Amino acid sequence: MSDTDDAVLEITGGTKLSGHVSVSGAKNSALVVMAGTLLCSQPCRLRNIPHLMDIERMGEVLLALGVKLKRDGDALDVNASSIAHTKAPYDVVSRLRASFFVIGPLLARMGVARVPLPGGCAIGARPVELHVRGLQAMGADVHIEHGTVHAYVPGSGKRLKGARIYLDYPSVGATETLMMAATLADGETVIENAAQEPEVVDLANFCRAMGARIRGAGTNTITIAGVPRLHTTDYGIIPDRIEAGTFLVAGAITRSEISLSPVLPEHLTAVIAKLHDMGGQVVVDGPSRVRYVPGSVIHPVDIQTGPFPGFPTDMQAQFMALMALCDGNSLITETVFENRLRHVAELNRMGADIRLNGNCAVIKGVPQLSAAPVLATDLRASAALVLAALAAQGTTTIQGLQHLDRGYDDLEGKLRRLGANIRRQVGDSAIAAAPLTESLLNSR
Ligand code: UD1
């Protein structure tokens, strides 16, 4: 049982928000960059690491492999000079899909890796065959036995070989696994139909800061010239575009003006375009600062999720909450994950009028949502319920906070500072995410 299983959030809606939000470092970058530190036998310092349960779990995976970690505020010192084990522990991998990312760097550096299959998750089956096929193309022998992926590099040199790899789908995780693996390979690797997400670019920049030779990250073709070893670096993670997008929607749904920094607007092009179409304005106040200015009406829009630069699946649930209050009908088509519309039932319990048809949701705008007890089903669904509750009449109680704490750094604190009426009611055994992160990462 998670420490937050018995906690609930109580939100009394209808309050206008105002003020400024400091956006944390990007969860998805931080997770993969932490895995990427396994590539380097010298200590590295990572900055702008958010305080999240997922980060703590990735820390547990690294600790289990023999890596030393020291948390210092938003910084994390990682010393992977000696890797004692090449098998990732099942109990952690099963709770954090991103921990599968260690397979690429472990294999590249040690010539061997054993990582349990991450299994399904709330939003879909999420297989890993693209990761596996790419590693095989680079010369790895990979087989799956008793639920664990066993991978090793045959031959005496234990070094992967550069290869030309075409991904059937621009998977973020597969692109990241293969890019990391290729940094230490013998020869050149080309990943075609690569994911172009900002987190892929961040990982490439981190690897380059350690001496990797990578071109084309952020386009659909990434070329990596392998080098024998990487060196120490001090690297700052990009701001979290999904956290920023969530707060922009908080502004929109409460018809409030709020400002955010640091934000890289080019990471939010699709989100900003849709907010404009819905009648709000996102004003860029500086190179890393934006401000949401509400319009008088929320107009309906249609959204189809897709790989970057398409509309992010990680913002779909939050937009659905906003569309629930539109002046007309909206349509959402989810193309990335097959089971990512489970928040529909909970939003309907709050008075929304949403019908599901396969991977499409038809949202008929209603004038008002009403508070209800609701259950968060996954990370972004939790955020959607928080947003809906901010606008709803009455006090909403949200259960299932373990999802929220996985991916939002102090969401309720940040909302409270904007004036939201939000509080966490904690059971006897519950502990806030941030202090736990500090204590665990420094304990071993
Ligand atoms: C990452 C993000 C997640 C985001 C997603 C899409 C992290 C930790 N998580 O997840 O927040 O929602 O990108 O932007 O960075 N697929 C296969 N075979 C594979 C790999 C993927 O079929 O080998 C499928 C998945 O099942 C899914 C789709 O491809 O339907 C997209 O997955 P992918 O881009 O790999 O997402 P993740 O890396 O898991």
Side-chain angles (χ1 to χ4, degrees):
M1 184 166 157
S2 151
D3 298 303
T4 46
D5 277 357
D6 56 353
V8 296
L9 266 189
E10 284 181 359
I11 302 173
T12 305
T15 311
K16 283 250 189 234
L17 307 180
S18 68
H20 180 79
V21 180
S22 296
V23 177
S24 298
K27 168 180 84 76
N28 288 348
S29 274
L31 288 170
V32 71
V33 164
M34 283 172 75
T37 59
L38 290 166
L39 290 164
C40 184
S41 59
Q42 295 176 351
C44 292
R45 169 161 264 232
L46 307 178
R47 284 173 290 106
N48 210 20
I49 299 289
H51 295 265
L52 302 170
M53 207 60 90
D54 272 8
I55 294 293
E56 181 175 330
R57 289 188 178 141
M58 184 57 97
E60 286 180 48
V61 175
L62 295 181
L63 288 167
L65 299 175
V67 173
K68 294 191 180 67
L69 299 173
K70 188 166 183 329
R71 184 99 201 203
D72 175 13
D74 288 348
L76 181 65
D77 291 312
V78 185
N79 184 342
S81 54
S82 80
I83 294 177
H85 307 283
T86 51
K87 180 168 186 202
Y90 171 74
D91 54 327
V92 187
V93 176
S94 63
R95 288 186 296 154
L96 174 66
R97 182 184 155 82
S99 54
F100 190 77
F101 291 153
V102 300
I103 196 167
L106 270 183
L107 192 58
R109 171 129 169 244
M110 308 298 286
V112 57
R114 283 171 299 154
V115 185
L117 281 168
C121 70
I123 60 173
R126 301 179 90 173
V128 290
E129 87 284 356
L130 297 173
H131 305 235
V132 168
R133 286 215 303 263
L135 295 173
Q136 286 170 328
M138 295 171 77
D141 193 313
V142 188
H143 64 278
I144 298 171
E145 218 171 73
H146 304 303
T148 294
V149 181
H150 296 249
Y152 72 97
V153 184
S156 53
K158 290 190 176 175
R159 205 163 163 206
L160 290 163
K161 289 188 178 47
R164 205 170 182 93
I165 301 165
Y166 172 81
L167 296 179
D168 285 341
Y169 182 88
S171 153
V172 174
T175 303
E176 292 170 340
T177 289
L178 300 174
M179 189 164 72
M180 287 189 282
T183 57
L184 294 177
D186 181 14
E188 185 175 273
T189 298
V190 180
I191 307 173
E192 288 177 297
N193 200 26
Q196 302 174 43
E197 268 69 2
E199 295 76 19
V200 171
V201 178
D202 207 25
L203 175 65
N205 288 338
F206 167 67
C207 291
R208 282 161 42 151
M210 294 191 296
R213 292 173 54 207
I214 302 176
R215 296 195 314 272
T219 75
N220 63 3
T221 306
I222 303 178
T223 305
I224 307 110
V227 295
R229 67 193 62 79
L230 299 176
H231 57 70
T232 179
T233 188
D234 179 332
Y235 189 80
I237 301 293
I238 55 170
D240 196 310
R241 65 191 167 109
I242 306 301
E243 186 194 8
T246 303
F247 277 101
L248 290 174
V249 177
I253 207 164
T254 59
R255 322 271 172 110
S256 305
E257 181 166 327
I258 56 175
S259 65
L260 312 171
S261 70
V263 173
L264 300 174
E266 63 272 27
H267 292 174
L268 282 160
T269 307
V271 167
I272 290 173
K274 289 298 171 188
L275 286 170
H276 280 162
D277 291 349
M278 295 176 91
Q281 276 185 68
V282 178
V283 180
V284 178
D285 281 337
S288 64
R289 192 178 174 106
V290 298
R291 185 163 40 93
Y292 180 80
V293 182
S296 51
V297 185
I298 309 175
H299 300 297
V301 289
D302 292 346
I303 284 177
Q304 177 164 320
T305 63
F308 192 86
F311 189 90
T313 176
D314 287 350
M315 283 301 301
Q316 176 259 106
Q318 300 90 315
F319 265 73
M320 191 181 292
L322 179 59
M323 288 165 167
L325 288 166
C326 276
D327 186 23
N329 293 350
S330 303
L331 178 70
I332 287 184
T333 310
E334 171 59 58
T335 74
V336 180
F337 290 108
E338 70 273 18
N339 191 19
R340 208 175 197 182
L341 292 163
R342 296 199 307 162
H343 38 281
V344 167
E346 298 303 299
L347 288 172
N348 282 345
R349 297 185 70 242
M350 297 179 70
D353 184 350
I354 307 171
R355 272 178 302 120
L356 262 184
N357 184 6
N359 66 338
C360 294
V362 181
I363 303 113
K364 194 170 163 201
V366 295
Q368 182 72 57
L369 294 173
S370 64
V374 286
L375 176 67
T377 49
D378 65 61
L379 170 56
R380 305 305 170 186
S382 320
L385 296 176
V386 170
L387 294 169
L390 290 173
Q393 228 164 24
T395 300
T396 298
T397 310
I398 305 177
Q399 291 179 46
L401 300 189
Q402 70 276 17
H403 298 295
L404 204 62
D405 293 337
R406 272 189 46 218
Y408 284 95
D409 187 345
D410 190 25
L411 183 67
E412 65 250 39
K414 291 180 183 182
L415 283 171
R416 204 177 304 115
R417 288 190 283 282
L418 291 175
N421 193 340
I422 178 170
R423 62 218 153 258
R424 181 177 289 232
Q425 302 292 5
V426 184
D428 286 347
S429 64
I431 305 169
L436 191 65
T437 304
E438 295 281 348
S439 60
L440 190 129
L441 291 182
N442 290 332
S443 65
R444 284 176 254 180

